[in-house]
Amino acid sequence: MGARAEGRANALAGAVGKAPARIDGGVEVETGQGARADAAPIDAERVGEIRNALRDGTYPILPARIADAMIAARLMLSSPE
C-alpha cells in the first residue's frame, strides 16, 4: 500500500465506530464497527485490481449496466417495507 493510500485508510479509520449517520429521509446508515457482523468483508486485492484497471483504462465501463443498477437502487430505496 502506498503512502497516499495509507493516508486515506488512516483518515477513514478515524471515522470507524462512530454513531450511525442520518441521511435524507431520516434513514440511518451504520458505518465502521457498527455495521453488521455478517456483512461481506472488503476484498482489498480485488479493489486493487479494479483500481489498476480503471487507471490503465482497461476496466469495461458498461453504461447500460450502470443505469440499470441505478434504477434498481432507486426502486429499492423508494419501496415501502
Side-chain angles (χ1 to χ4, degrees):
M1 181 183 296
R4 196 164 114 188
E6 283 181 338
R8 277 189 252 154
N10 289 337
L12 290 173
V16 173
K18 298 207 176 195
R22 269 200 192 278
I23 59 174
D24 291 340
V27 176
E28 280 193 11
V29 178
E30 293 185 37
T31 58
Q33 294 172 346
R36 292 183 5 206
D38 62 343
I42 295 173
D43 183 348
E45 184 175 330
R46 179 69 179 138
V47 170
E49 290 172 3
I50 293 170
R51 183 175 288 135
N52 290 338
L54 286 168
R55 184 187 62 237
D56 299 339
T58 58
Y59 189 81
I61 304 295
L62 307 172
R65 189 169 177 189
I66 294 168
D68 288 344
M70 290 174 68
I71 292 168
R74 173 66 179 157
L75 291 173
M76 183 180 70
L77 291 172
S78 64
S79 65
E81 288 187 22

